[in-house]
Amino acid sequence: MNRWKKGLIAGAVALGLGSGMYMPAAQAASPWEILFQGAASMAYVSTALSKIDDTDEGQAEMLKETKRRTGFYDNPAYQERVDRILGTLEASPQVKRDYVVYVVPDPDINAFMTFGRVMAVNTGTMDAMDDNELAYVMAHEIGHGEHKDLVHGAKKSVGLATAIGMATSGADGAGQMLGGIIGQYMENQVFTMGQEKDADKLGFVILADSPYNLGGAPSSMAVIKAKYGDLYHEGLSKVLSPNNHPKTSDRIRDNVKRMYEYSRKQVDVKDKTVYLNKQAVYTGTTMGRYTDEMRAFLVAGKLARLAHDNQLTATSVNGNQVMMGTMSLVTADNADEAFKVSTAINNALTKKK
C-alpha cells in the first residue's frame, strides 16, 4: 500500500473514531441487527467525512497527505501568487468556508479541490494563464468546495452492503474502507456533469465579486481548449472520463452568456467580436500569448463590469490605447485602429441613450 494511503487511512481512523464511536466486532447477528449495524456504519462514514472536510485538523492532515501524493513546488513567488488570488476570492460573500492552496510541480494545466478544503494548482496552469484566468479556475474549485461535492459523492458511494461490511469488520477494517473511498475520490476526482456546471456557475459569481476581469472566465477555458481540444479531464490520475465534464467550447459559451447577463444584456461576444448594445465595437487580434478570441473576451469583461456598475462613459484615445476614464480597455495594433474602436464604442453608447 502506498505511503500516502497509509497516512490517509490513519487520518481517517483518527478523525472518524476520535469522537468515541466504535465499530462492533464480527459476530452472529440477526438480519435486523445487521441492518442496524449498517445504518450505524453509514452514520459513522458521514461523521468521519465531515470531520475530515470541516475541521482544521482534517485540513492539516489532507494538506500533508495531498502534498505527499502530488509533490510540492517550493517556490515563494508561485506560492505568493496563488495565496494572493485565493485571499481575494475568499472575500466574496459567496465563500463561507476557509481554504488552503499549494502549487504542484506539474507542467500540465490542472487544478483540483480535495477533502479538507485543500486546493492544488499545477505550475502548468500558472504558467499558461494570467491572474484573471487563474482566478476563475481557482473560483471554480472553490465552487466544488462550497458545494462539498467530494464529500457528497463519497457518501453516496457507500451503499448499504459496504456499510454492513464496515460494521462487521471492526474499527481497523472500517478505517481502511473509508480510507479507500477517500483515496478513490482523491485519485479520480469523481464529479458529475451537474456538479461541474454548478461549480462553473458559482465560480463566475465569485469572480464577479472580485476585482478580476470577468473575461478571465471564458478566456481560461479558451486556454484549455487551445491545448487539449474540446474535452478536458481534471483529476490526479488523468483517467479519461469524457462524460464528467461539459465540452470546453460549451463552457466558453456559457461564461460568455454569464457576462452578457451580468452586463445588463449590453455586452456580448460572437465570433471573436465584442458587441456593445448590439453594435460591433472591437474584433480581437492576436497579441503575444493572447489569441484574438481571448483578447475579445478580456475587452468584453471590462465593458461588462462597467455596464453592470452603470459606469459606461465616452472613450478617448491615448496613443494605441482606448481609454474609458482612467481604464485602458484595449491596446490596439496602431493609433488608427484605436480611434476606430473608440468611435465605435462611443456610437454604441449614443445609440443606447
Side-chain angles (χ1 to χ4, degrees):
M1 182 179 295
N2 294 335
R3 183 176 66 173
W4 77 275
K5 270 192 177 176
K6 287 182 180 179
L8 189 60
I9 290 169
V13 173
L15 290 167
L17 302 181
S19 63
M21 296 177 62
Y22 76 96
M23 304 303 297
Q27 58 183 337
S30 71
W32 288 110
E33 288 173 328
I34 291 174
L35 288 173
F36 177 78
Q37 290 171 357
S41 298
M42 294 183 78
Y44 154 75
V45 169
S46 179
T47 300
L49 286 172
S50 293
K51 282 193 174 185
I52 291 169
D53 202 56
D54 293 337
T55 66
D56 292 341
E57 182 185 6
Q59 185 175 74
E61 177 71 18
M62 293 308 303
L63 177 61
K64 180 178 68 175
E65 295 300 335
T66 313
K67 278 185 175 181
R68 185 178 300 170
R69 171 67 178 90
T70 64
F72 169 57
Y73 189 54
D74 189 11
N75 182 302
Y78 277 67
Q79 186 62 45
E80 186 279 331
R81 185 183 175 201
V82 291
D83 282 337
R84 170 174 47 81
I85 293 174
L86 176 61
T88 302
L89 296 174
E90 284 184 319
S92 167
Q94 301 293 326
V95 181
K96 311 297 184 183
R97 312 177 80 204
D98 296 324
Y99 298 87
V100 293
V101 62
Y102 73 96
V103 182
V104 179
D106 189 324
D108 283 338
I109 296 177
N110 194 21
F112 66 89
M113 176 70 67
T114 192
F115 297 95
R117 296 156 288 125
V118 175
M119 185 192 306
V121 182
N122 283 7
T123 54
T125 310
M126 299 180 69
D127 293 338
M129 298 184 182
D130 66 17
D131 281 6
N132 303 299
E133 296 159 339
L134 181 57
Y136 178 70
V137 170
M138 293 175 65
H140 168 92
E141 297 306 329
I142 290 174
H144 282 307
E146 290 297 302
H147 294 147
K148 297 190 176 184
D149 287 335
L150 281 169
V151 172
H152 294 321
K155 288 180 181 179
K156 287 180 181 179
S157 75
V158 181
L160 183 58
T162 303
I164 291 172
M166 294 175 71
T168 58
S169 61
D172 289 341
Q176 289 180 3
M177 288 186 182
L178 179 58
I181 292 166
I182 294 172
Q184 175 190 354
Y185 270 76
M186 285 184 65
E187 187 72 17
N188 294 320
Q189 291 284 283
V190 185
F191 293 131
T192 67
M193 182 81 76
Q195 287 173 331
E196 289 298 338
K197 289 182 177 180
D198 287 344
D200 274 355
K201 185 184 302 183
L202 180 55
F204 184 87
V205 175
I206 293 171
L207 185 72
D209 286 338
S210 78
Y212 294 110
N213 188 328
L214 297 171
S219 186
S220 67
M221 297 296 105
V223 172
I224 292 171
K225 184 181 177 184
K227 185 166 184 176
Y228 298 104
D230 209 24
L231 290 176
Y232 171 62
H233 312 286
E234 293 178 348
L236 297 176
S237 64
K238 300 179 178 62
V239 176
L240 290 184
S241 181
N243 294 321
N244 74 331
H245 276 71
K247 286 185 177 181
T248 310
S249 57
D250 290 344
R251 300 174 80 179
I252 293 172
R253 180 203 63 208
D254 290 344
N255 279 318
V256 169
K257 184 177 180 181
R258 291 180 185 114
M259 280 202 303
Y260 173 70
E261 296 294 336
Y262 186 85
S263 73
R264 305 177 192 273
K265 299 183 178 181
Q266 295 180 72
V267 181
D268 202 359
V269 181
K270 297 178 182 178
D271 298 325
K272 307 167 188 177
T273 297
V274 179
Y275 290 80
L276 177 61
N277 299 326
K278 303 189 184 305
Q279 292 198 79
V281 296
Y282 170 73
T283 298
T285 57
T286 300
M287 180 176 289
R289 78 152 188 88
Y290 296 96
T291 66
D292 46 9
E293 183 181 46
M294 294 174 195
R295 293 192 73 204
F297 292 148
L298 293 170
V299 170
K302 293 179 182 180
L303 288 171
R305 188 177 294 280
L306 291 167
H308 178 270
D309 295 340
N310 291 316
Q311 293 180 355
L312 289 173
T313 60
T315 59
S316 61
V317 175
N318 182 6
N320 293 4
Q321 299 279 329
V322 179
M323 309 292 296
M324 184 169 285
T326 59
M327 176 185 289
S328 173
L329 292 178
V330 64
T331 300
D333 293 338
N334 52 63
D336 287 342
E337 183 62 26
F339 180 77
K340 291 179 182 178
V341 173
S342 177
T343 300
I345 292 174
N346 291 337
N347 288 340
L349 291 174
T350 300
K351 178 182 178 182
K352 176 66 175 179
K353 290 180 181 179

